[in-house]
């Protein structure tokens, strides 16, 4: 079926959305930013006023980059429309978050002036300064740190917030010209998967020293499930919450749901919550204890092996390490194969039967057998995982274990199938960003930055996962934080991070650059106000939808308030202090760079409109072809080998076996050469009398990470609530709507309770991204209910990543 032949209309889908009905009813046009009815038409039906229209996009980190048309009068945005151009199947209509963007742009909380810190870090006490003083201070601190410690003492922090038209690259371009900075390895979204999947599937794209799953070379698009699948199995994947909007995967998923159900197929959602994607269709939810997906997959594998349902011919031809026949020479004759692990003849000598997995997963043995039979019987099973499953302290093993399901039955590289990874994102990006070339190749895993502040000089490739070098040359002394709330809110173990940052002899200077006062911004030494995308000429390539790609050019829709400035212009002023302004700008203004980057993209593409045409029409888009993960490899493995040492799928990785034997690991840290189930730190079996509940974070409809977290209309309609099962709430005397205290080994929060059977018993769920609100000089109890107040700062064994984000033990009591 082509993208134009779906019988599900976008209008029907939006009209039928309960979330949309509830939100519209609760807040009306105030949230959406739509024109008041009286302003829409005059009495005779003609337009009452003449608007200026400027195109733009939402660019926060859900990935959708949905499209806006800003309507401005007298230089001020008064309302917005979303995309209404062309085929309805190819419209990048903004979700409810994106439609609140006017509230962000015109928020009374906007940062308006440069400021410097006058209190302790984290207190949020600042005084206004001039741009000249701010730029002089930043340049002076950069020079001092570079001269004293070298460029490896500078780190650009991970960020997912509202950044300007040329992205975060003005900062990176500037710092690269000054000698460079320490790179980010991986990201907070896919940390464990990014680190481990190359050992199984390799990577077909050069990404410097760092692999990214965004390459999508190993996954199939949702459109493949729409075209041919008769069974979709989703592990921890809810596009209805994480990827809302017409330019995002929720629309793709809606088409999949209709097509699969229409041909008599089924969608099974495996999650510890009955999430929005699962509740939106009538198929099946399998509630599972968080962090135990690998145990479920191991039990399914046992069923297939015991019943002779594995595709031995496929495994022998395309894989390494399934059984003794395909083991590498270094591991032969030692019972180290995947089959030995599953059947109890190797490793822990425990047979991974459904009866073994049932008490771990909370899924009955009969239900596990039923699931195994359904997948084996499907003609084209589409198995995928969201990024929640790997965001645990055992996430490296979990991600590979889920991918073992299509591998074992040879259901990958074929129409309607997937490789077990997240559905693919679009492969076409029509325009580039401001170019830079960092002279420094060393990278730290992004979750390790606090350790690099505290003891960076002691961090090596074998004890801290340093990439591209044997060790770090310096502690981090200068933190550059642009458009991000990952110093505290989105990082982990806020109380511990606060302690490290209080010692100004460690991290000597923090620059924060944002649009509003986030919790992370309270730690700035210099705090700068950024102009938003819609307040300057902006350009963006469309995001994650698999059905089409687009580019939008437009703006400004209004002038930036106060003394807000474009990050490009400010970086040019800082470059001038070093005599690098001409090299930085190459003689181009910000707007001239936008035009240059567009025209370079159009030249390479050959089909895009001219600059004058895109300026006039605002948006250009076209349909994409579906992709089947590993199709070329499946068709001809000799001609299209994978980027692994063997060129095959490596179920057993000699590289991981070597790492496990040579890295400096703590006693409770394990790296496995095959996909196994390990409980992980604060995972299965670690609850205590003091902390008797498992706790996991999850993405929330009202925020993209912490972005939009300060907009009251969104907060009111999609409240920050703790999910707790009645079986756990009743003995504690907790009723729906009660204020409760949640305590973990790392901290304590206050939050409203949502008592619901939509969460597995024994586990509580907390939406991530809520803004931290605590008296850090007092009891530190977080009234904002940020889940990272509860996470313990303990990077995972291989990725050195943020696995504790969803691996927490806790207690809940009435507040």
């Amino acid at each position: 079926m082509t993208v134009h032949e779906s019988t599900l209309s976008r209008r029907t889908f939006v009209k039928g959305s309960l979330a949309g009905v509830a939100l519209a009813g609760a807040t009306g046009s105030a949230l959406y930013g739509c024109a008041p009815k009286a302003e829409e038409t005059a009495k005779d039906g003609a337009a009452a006023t003449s608007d200026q229209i400027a195109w733009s996009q939402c660019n926060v980190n859900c990935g959708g980059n949905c499209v806006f048309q800003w309507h401005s009068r007298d230089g001020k945005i008064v309302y917005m429309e979303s995309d209404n151009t062309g085929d309805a199947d190819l419209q990048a209509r903004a979700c409810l978050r994106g439609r609140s963007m006017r509230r962000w742009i015109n928020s009374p909380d906007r940062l308006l002036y440069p400021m410097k810190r006058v209190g302790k870090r984290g207190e949020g006490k600042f005084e206004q300064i001039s741009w000249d003083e701010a730029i002089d201070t930043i340049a002076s601190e950069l020079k001092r740190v570079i001269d004293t410690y070298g460029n490896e003492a500078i780190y650009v922090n991970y960020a997912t917030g509202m950044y300007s038209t040329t992205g975060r690259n003005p900062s990176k371009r500037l710092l690269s010209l000054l000698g460079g900075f320490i790179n980010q390895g991986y990201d907070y979204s896919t940390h464990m998967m990014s680190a481990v999947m190359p050992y199984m599937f390799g990577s077909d794209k050069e990404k410097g020293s760092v692999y990214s799953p965004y390459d999508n070379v190993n996954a199939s698009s949702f459109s493949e499930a729409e075209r041919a699948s008769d069974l979709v199995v989703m592990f921890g994947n809810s596009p209805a919450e994480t990827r809302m909007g017409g330019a995002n995967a929720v629309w793709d998923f809606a088409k999949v749901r209709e097509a699969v159900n229409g041909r008599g197929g089924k969608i099974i959602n495996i999650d510890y919550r009955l999430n929005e994607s699962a509740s939106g269709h009538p198929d099946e939810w399998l509630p599972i204890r968080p962090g135990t997906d690998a145990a479920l997959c191991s039990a399914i594998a046992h069923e297939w092996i015991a019943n002779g349902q594995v595709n031995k011919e496929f495994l022998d031809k395309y894989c390494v390490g399934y059984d003794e026949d395909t083991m590498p020479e270094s591991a032969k004759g030692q019972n180290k194969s995947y089959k030995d692990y599953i059947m109890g003849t190797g490793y822990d000598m425990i047979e991974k039967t459904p009866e073994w997995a049932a008490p771990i997963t909370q899924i009955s043995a009969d239900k596990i057998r039923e699931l195994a039979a359904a997948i084996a019987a499907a003609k084209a099973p589409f198995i995928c995982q969201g990024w929640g499953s790997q965001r645990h302290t055992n996430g490296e093993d979990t991600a590979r274990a889920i991918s073992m399901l299509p591998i074992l039955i040879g259901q990958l590289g074929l129409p309607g199938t997937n490789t077990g990874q997240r559905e693919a994102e679009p492969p076409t990006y029509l325009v580039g960003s401001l170019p830079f070339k960092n002279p420094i190749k060393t990278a730290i895993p992004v979750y390790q930055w606090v350790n690099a502040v505290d003891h960076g000089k002691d961090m090596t490739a074998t004890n801290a996962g340093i990439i591209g070098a044997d060790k770090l040359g310096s502690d981090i002394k200068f933190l550059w934080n642009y458009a991000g709330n990952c110093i505290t809110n989105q990082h982990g173990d806020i109380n511990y991070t606060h302690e490290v940052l209080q010692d100004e002899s460690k991290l000597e200077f923090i620059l924060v650059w944002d649009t509003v006062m986030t919790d992370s911004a309270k730690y700035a030494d210099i705090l700068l106000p950024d102009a938003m995308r819609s307040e300057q000429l902006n350009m963006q390539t469309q995001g994650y939808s698999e059905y089409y790609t687009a580019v939008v050019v437009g703006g400004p829709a209004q002038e930036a308030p106060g003394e807000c400035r474009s990050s490009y212009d400010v970086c040019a002023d800082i470059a001038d202090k070093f005599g690098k302004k001409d090299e930085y700008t190459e003689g181009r203004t910000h707007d001239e760079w936008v035009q240059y980057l567009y025209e370079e993209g159009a030249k390479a593409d050959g089909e895009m409109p001219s600059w004058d045409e895109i300026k006039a029409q605002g948006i250009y888009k076209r349909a994409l072809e579906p992709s089947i993960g590993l199709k070329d490899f499946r068709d001809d493995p000799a001609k299209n080998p994978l980027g692994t040492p063997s060129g095959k799928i490596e179920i057993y990785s000699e590289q991981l076996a070597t790492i496990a034997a040579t890295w400096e690991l703590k006693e409770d840290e394990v790296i496995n050469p095959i996909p196994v189930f390990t409980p992980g730190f604060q995972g299965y079996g670690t609850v205590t009398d003091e902390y008797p509940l498992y706790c996991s974070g999850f993405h929330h409809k009202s925020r993209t990470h912490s972005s939009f977290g300060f907009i009251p209309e969104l907060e009111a309609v999609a409240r920050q609530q703790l999910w707790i099962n009645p079986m756990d709430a009743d003995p504690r005397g907790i009723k729906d709507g009660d204020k409760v205290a949640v305590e973990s080994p790392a901290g304590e929060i206050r939050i409203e309770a949502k008592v619901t059977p939509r969460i597995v018993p024994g586990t509580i769920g907390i939406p991530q991204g809520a803004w931290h609100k605590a008296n850090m000089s007092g009891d530190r109890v977080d009234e904002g209910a940020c889940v990272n107040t509860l996470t313990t700062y303990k990077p995972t064994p291989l990725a050195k990543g943020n696995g504790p984000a969803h691996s927490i033990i806790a207690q809940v009591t009435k507040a």
Side-chain angles (χ1 to χ4, degrees), residues 135 173-174 177-178 434 565 568-590 593:
I135 288 166
R173 180 175 173 85
L174 167 66
L177 293 175
L178 301 183
L434 196 66
R565 296 182 63 196
Y568 174 85
D569 292 339
V570 177
C571 283
D573 287 347
I574 298 172
D576 194 32
K577 298 294 181 180
F578 290 87
K580 298 278 188 179
K581 184 171 184 178
D582 289 344
E583 192 175 355
Y584 173 82
T585 65
E586 296 185 21
R588 297 186 183 95
T589 65
H590 169 275
W593 265 110

Side-chain angles (χ1 to χ4, degrees), residues 480-695:
W480 187 292
N481 189 75
Y482 175 67
N485 200 4
C486 285
I487 293 180
T488 52
N489 227 87
Q490 295 306 110
H491 172 63
D493 204 335
I494 291 174
N495 290 330
Y496 171 72
T497 301
H498 175 85
E499 289 297 321
V500 172
L501 296 182
Q502 287 289 289
D503 186 347
E504 296 181 33
S505 70
K506 293 181 178 178
L507 185 53
E508 296 179 3
F509 190 81
I510 302 176
L511 169 65
V512 175
W513 204 334
D514 220 316
T515 57
V516 293
M517 180 66 78
T518 65
D519 190 67
S520 293
K522 297 175 183 176
Y523 290 82
D525 295 308
I526 292 291
L527 178 58
L528 302 181
D530 197 22
M532 295 186 69
R533 295 176 65 82
S534 299
E535 294 163 348
Q536 55 198 304
L537 180 66
N538 64 89
M539 175 176 67
Q540 184 86 3
T541 291
Q542 176 269 327
Y544 285 177
S545 175
E546 297 152 8
Y547 289 88
Y548 66 99
T549 189
V551 62
V552 170
V553 174
Q558 66 179 26
E559 291 185 6
E563 295 181 9
C564 295
R565 296 182 63 196
S566 163
S567 60
Y568 174 85
D569 292 339
V570 177
C571 283
D573 287 347
I574 298 172
D576 194 32
K577 298 294 181 180
F578 290 87
K580 298 278 188 179
K581 184 171 184 178
D582 289 344
E583 192 175 355
Y584 173 82
T585 65
E586 296 185 21
R588 297 186 183 95
T589 65
H590 169 275
D591 290 3
E592 288 168 343
W593 265 110
V594 174
Q595 180 176 348
Y596 170 79
L597 292 169
Y598 179 86
E599 290 178 338
E600 287 295 296
K603 187 190 307 180
D605 179 74
E607 297 181 25
M608 291 162 55
S610 69
W611 174 250
D612 289 339
E613 288 169 337
I614 192 67
K615 281 276 288 178
Q617 68 192 52
I619 185 171
Y620 166 75
K621 50 192 171 183
R622 64 168 178 257
L624 293 173
E625 291 297 317
S627 61
I628 303 176
L630 299 185
K631 181 183 185 302
D632 291 344
F633 172 68
R634 179 66 181 262
D635 290 345
D636 192 337
K639 186 178 179 181
N640 303 290
L642 300 182
T644 57
S646 66
K648 298 182 178 183
I649 298 169
E650 297 201 350
I651 300 170
Y652 179 95
S653 169
E654 288 183 285
Q655 291 178 302
L656 287 177
T658 298
I659 289 172
T662 57
W663 276 21
E664 302 168 48
L665 300 173
K666 295 181 174 62
E667 187 175 344
D668 62 346
E669 294 179 333
V670 180
I671 294 173
N672 300 291
I674 62 169
V676 304
F677 169 67
T678 50
F681 175 75
Q682 292 194 14
Y684 170 72
T686 65
V687 290
T688 64
D689 290 341
E690 185 176 6
Y691 304 110
L693 297 169
Y694 299 100
C695 176

Side-chain angles (χ1 to χ4, degrees), residues 311-322:
N311 189 332
K312 184 68 163 60
E313 182 181 355
F314 175 87
L315 293 165
D316 287 347
K317 182 177 180 179
Y318 294 94
C319 303
V320 170
Y322 164 68

